[in-house]
């Protein structure tokens, strides 16, 4: 991948104010992400992964360092949260349309687009359902559709499948892979699962304990599309072992 | 289907028990032999109602009270939601104002009602203000609670989509806190009836409170009963409106 990076991060640090000198969540993170790259971040709890995504999404200002995007300054982001984070008063359709609505697009074109997204995540027939009537996996798929509908420059995923059972989770991996390949997005995903990262990512970065620093940066050179069987190959095992030793 | 039948059944039972009160009441009047100016029979109240209805006075006075209530509710709810929103958003503002707010609750509105009538006169204005004051606090508290309860991750979502301040208010904070806001309105609606009557009892030339007092002075006890029943209907009506709003806007919750 020798394209120009879409995202470059320089000496990014975040310190949360507290009573004794501040809580260092992230310390001097530097790396680049290329267009259409799928990057996974692995790291222990509290290593600042969510903090990092919030900085990328523009929700949180970094304490020091810089985050720069090409071509835009303020990229369109689609974010999928750890919990589906749907608005319970909106139907599936209305939830998915939220990003368009905030851009002032509420015409039939927007409706069609939403319908298309619903189809992409396999929720046809659930347009008018309320979030309370969805299973965890369905809700998470709505969240993914919502994150994609406005054609974001960057897709940020914060442990999106952590709350799902193993079977649903693995089905979601396949779906996400498929969507990622169809939509050609740049994806940054946070996870706790080595398997998940190896199944999905082009590149896996491991963060240290707080304050988070990059401890390891591994290229995942497994062929695509990735299959279940791949998990039993020696190359997969080697990568998994490497990551595991870095996570400690 | 079953719970629904049960629901209708219990509603009929409620109506039935209310209707049962009429013969019971008649019976008590007959047995006790109390004079009409102490305890009128249902028939007397009904006759009095028809008379006041036909000459238009009842409708007029009910209308005045309703107007006071509606205006008072509007003013009270408007100020309370705006103030509540500001307080919910600013801890500093809350710590500056909360002593005053708590202290103001120690003063019963009934006690300052005469003062307000002196300042604002015996017309509608004083009643509207009393109404608004009595409605203010519960709506304020509910607004604060409602807005504070909006989930942080929903804010994150809106911010990640570059939502504007107004979009956050209209598309997140309002719908998210609506259940609690309507709960406040429910309490406020009931209290507003009390507010209007308290004001009218202090001094008024019109309204149900005035009618009530007039009946009292003239030993026209049936008239007092009519006024009280009208007040009950007003309160029930307002309660019904809030319930309808909840049905309409909180479908997602049921
Ligand atoms: N808004 C905040 N204010 C103060 N401290 C915070 C805030 N958000 C996070 N922190 C602290 O920053 C550190 C990193 O938190 P963060 O949520 O980024 O970790 P994480 O890697 O996402 O953890 P997990 O895997 O458990 O989700 C934690 O110690 C947390 O307590
Ligand atoms: Mg996290």
């Amino acid at each position: 991948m020798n394209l120009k990076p879409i995202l470059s991060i320089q000496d990014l640090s975040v310190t949360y104010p507290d009573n004794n000198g501040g809580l260092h969540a992230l310390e001097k993170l530097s790396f680049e992400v290329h267009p259409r790259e799928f990057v996974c971040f692995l790291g222990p709890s509290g290593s600042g992964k969510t903090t990092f995504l919030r900085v990328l999404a523009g929700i949180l200002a970094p304490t020091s360092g810089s985050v720069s995007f090409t071509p835009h300054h303020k990229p369109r982001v689609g974010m999928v949260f750890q919990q589906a984070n749907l608005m319970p008063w909106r139907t599936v359709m209305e939830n998915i349309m939220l990003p368009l609505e905030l851009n002032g697009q509420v015409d039939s074109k927007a409706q069609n687009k939403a319908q298309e997204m619903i189809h992409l995540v396999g929720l046809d027939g659930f347009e008018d359902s309320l979030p309370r009537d969805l299973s965890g996996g369905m809700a998470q798929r709505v969240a993914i559709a919502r994150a994609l509908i406005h054609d974001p420059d960057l897709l940020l995923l914060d442990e999106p499948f952590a709350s799902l059972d193993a079977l649903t989770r693995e089905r979601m991996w396949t779906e996400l892979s498929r969507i990622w390949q169809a939509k050609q997005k740049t994806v940054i995903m946070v996870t706790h699962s080595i398997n998940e990262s190896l199944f999905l990512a082009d590149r896996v970065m491991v963060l240290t304990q707080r304050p988070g620093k990059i401890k390891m940066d591994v290229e995942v050179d497994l062929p695509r599309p990735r299959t279940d069987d791949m998990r039993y190959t020696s190359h997969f095992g080697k990568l998994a072992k490497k990551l595991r030793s870095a996570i400690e | 289907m079953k719970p629904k039948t049960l629901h209708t059944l219990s509603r009929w039972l409620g109506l039935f028990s209310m209707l049962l009160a009429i013969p019971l009441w008649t019976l008590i009047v007959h047995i006790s032999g109390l004079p009409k100016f102490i305890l009128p029979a249902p028939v007397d109240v009904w006759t009095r109602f028809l008379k006041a209805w036909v000459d238009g006075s009842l409708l007029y006075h009910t209308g005045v009270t309703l107007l006071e209530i509606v205006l008072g509710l509007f003013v009270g709810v408007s100020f309370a939601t705006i103030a509540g929103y500001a307080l919910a958003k600013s801890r500093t503002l809350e710590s500056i104002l909360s002593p005053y707010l708590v202290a103001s609750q120690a003063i019963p509105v009934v006690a300052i009602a005469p003062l307000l009538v002196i300042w604002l006169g015996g017309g509608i204005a004083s009643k509207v203000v009393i109404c608004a004051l009595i409605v203010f606090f519960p709506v304020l508290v509910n607004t604060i609670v409602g807005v504070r309860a909006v989930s942080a991750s929903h804010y994150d979502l809106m911010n990640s989509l570059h939502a504007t301040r107004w979009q956050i208010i209209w598309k997140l904070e309002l719908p998210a806190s609506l259940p609690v806001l309507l709960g406040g309105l429910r309490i406020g609606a009931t209290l507003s009836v009390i507010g209007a009557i308290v004001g009218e009892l202090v001094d008024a030339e019109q309204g149900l409170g005035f009618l009530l007092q007039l009946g009292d002075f003239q030993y026209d006890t049936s008239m007092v009963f009519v006024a009280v029943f009208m007040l009950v209907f007003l309160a029930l009506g307002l309660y019904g409106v809030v319930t309808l709003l909840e049905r309409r806007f909180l479908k997602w919750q049921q």
Side-chain angles (χ1 to χ4, degrees):
Chain A
M1 239 174 258
N2 38 23
L3 293 155
K4 262 180 66 179
I6 187 177
L7 170 63
S8 68
I9 286 146
Q10 287 283 323
D11 293 332
L12 173 73
S13 299
V14 174
T15 306
Y16 286 112
D18 71 354
N19 299 329
N20 48 17
L23 188 144
H24 300 282
L26 291 171
E27 202 165 82
K28 299 217 165 197
L29 245 56
S30 296
F31 64 91
E32 290 178 339
V33 177
H34 294 278
R36 294 197 289 282
E37 204 171 9
F38 196 129
V39 183
C40 266
F41 278 83
L42 278 172
S45 188
S47 56
K49 303 181 299 294
T50 299
T51 303
F52 169 61
L53 288 189
R54 294 179 76 223
V55 171
L56 292 186
I59 302 167
L60 184 70
T63 313
S64 66
S66 72
V67 176
S68 52
F69 288 91
T70 33
H72 312 287
H73 261 308
K74 215 180 182 189
R76 263 180 307 191
V77 288
M79 190 153 178
V80 178
F81 300 80
Q82 187 159 351
Q83 303 298 326
N85 203 14
L86 303 179
M87 293 180 167
W89 56 89
R90 286 174 168 250
T91 63
V92 165
M93 186 77 159
E94 289 166 345
N95 265 293
I96 292 177
M97 282 181 65
L98 178 75
L100 296 183
E101 214 177 296
L102 296 179
N103 287 337
Q105 295 164 257
V106 284
D107 49 5
S108 59
K109 223 171 97 192
Q111 293 254 348
N112 292 341
K113 189 101 196 250
Q115 197 65 56
E116 201 180 294
M117 293 311 309
I118 285 174
H119 184 66
L120 185 73
V121 296
L123 284 174
D124 302 85
F126 289 94
E127 291 81 359
D128 298 323
S129 302
L130 286 168
R132 60 157 193 225
D133 298 324
L134 303 177
S135 70
M138 288 159 83
Q140 209 51 270
R141 279 184 281 167
V142 175
I144 292 172
R146 176 179 64 189
L148 286 168
I149 192 168
H150 55 308
D151 235 340
D153 306 305
L154 189 61
L155 189 60
L156 303 173
L157 307 164
D158 192 359
E159 302 184 41
F161 310 132
S163 59
L164 306 180
D165 64 275
L167 220 66
T168 316
R169 191 182 310 137
E170 287 177 19
R171 203 174 305 137
M172 297 291 292
W173 293 352
T174 318
E175 278 188 52
L176 181 61
S177 273
R178 180 175 59 76
I179 292 169
W180 172 70
Q181 272 173 332
K183 291 273 165 184
Q184 303 269 303
K185 295 287 170 207
T186 308
V187 181
I188 296 183
M189 174 166 165
V190 159
T191 173
H192 274 133
S193 152
I194 293 174
N195 275 348
E196 185 165 283
S197 67
L198 288 179
F199 196 90
L200 292 166
D202 295 316
R203 201 170 142 205
V204 181
M205 289 193 226
V206 180
L207 292 179
T208 59
Q209 291 281 10
R210 202 181 71 218
K213 286 185 277 259
I214 292 171
K215 186 168 188 186
M216 186 181 270
D217 184 344
V218 181
E219 201 82 28
V220 183
D221 46 3
L222 296 165
R224 289 189 191 266
R226 303 209 175 133
T227 57
D228 275 348
D229 298 339
M230 211 169 264
R231 265 187 282 168
Y232 309 105
T233 63
S234 67
H235 190 49
F236 189 101
K238 230 183 284 168
L239 285 170
K241 199 164 168 189
K242 195 167 166 188
L243 291 173
R244 186 170 306 280
S245 69
I247 293 172
E248 83 237 319
Chain B
M1 206 61 221
K2 205 140 200 188
K4 200 156 186 182
T5 5
L6 214 71
H7 190 72
T8 3
L9 188 72
S10 72
R11 194 178 280 178
W12 282 112
L13 269 176
L15 197 66
F16 181 69
S17 82
M18 266 163 73
L19 285 175
L20 202 68
I22 295 173
L24 211 68
W25 176 2
T26 316
L27 199 70
I28 291 171
V29 172
H30 274 284
I31 292 174
S32 66
L34 286 169
K36 204 165 132 183
F37 67 87
I38 292 185
L39 184 63
V43 198
D44 303 322
V45 176
W46 178 246
T47 324
R48 191 67 190 83
F49 168 80
L50 284 181
K51 186 165 168 257
W53 182 266
V54 170
D55 68 19
S57 61
L58 187 59
L59 210 58
Y60 173 72
H61 291 293
T62 309
V64 169
T65 302
L66 185 61
L67 181 70
E68 290 163 359
I69 290 170
V70 170
L71 287 178
L73 254 182
F74 179 76
V75 173
V77 170
S78 307
F79 275 99
T81 10
I82 293 168
Y85 187 76
L87 287 174
K89 286 284 158 179
S90 162
R91 296 269 173 192
T92 330
L93 202 61
E94 197 198 10
S95 27
I96 294 170
L97 291 182
S98 63
Y100 290 97
L101 288 167
V102 173
S104 75
Q105 279 316 290
I107 311 167
V109 177
V110 182
I112 56 164
L115 211 53
L116 288 167
V117 174
I118 293 171
W119 290 340
L120 299 167
I124 281 189
S126 55
K127 283 75 184 179
V128 171
V129 171
I130 293 167
C131 239
L133 281 178
I134 215 168
V135 162
F136 184 80
F137 200 71
V139 177
L140 177 88
V141 170
N142 277 43
T143 308
I144 297 175
V145 170
V147 173
R148 288 253 167 92
V150 177
S151 94
S153 53
H154 278 154
Y155 281 112
D156 277 0
L157 170 69
M158 293 299 271
N159 287 327
S160 76
L161 295 168
H162 310 311
T164 63
R165 185 91 191 237
W166 281 110
Q167 286 177 327
I168 289 179
I169 292 177
W170 288 112
K171 295 190 187 293
L172 172 58
E173 289 170 335
L174 180 68
S177 55
L178 201 59
V180 188
L181 290 185
L182 285 178
L185 189 62
R186 182 183 282 269
I187 302 167
T190 322
L191 286 177
S192 67
V193 178
I194 297 174
I197 289 309
V198 164
E200 288 176 352
L201 285 179
V202 173
D203 180 27
E205 264 84 63
Q206 47 191 358
L208 287 173
F210 165 74
L211 220 54
L212 210 119
Q213 221 158 25
L214 194 69
D216 192 30
F217 287 149
Q218 298 175 343
Y219 291 101
D220 185 357
T221 312
S222 303
M223 188 68 237
V224 176
F225 270 82
V226 170
V228 169
F229 278 122
M230 288 313 288
L231 283 172
V232 171
F233 284 131
L234 278 186
L236 285 178
L238 284 172
Y239 200 80
V241 169
V242 179
T243 308
L244 280 181
L245 287 177
E246 286 181 338
R247 285 235 185 100
R248 166 76 184 73
F249 291 108
L250 302 182
K251 260 189 223 135
W252 57 275
Q253 258 205 336
Q254 283 131 33

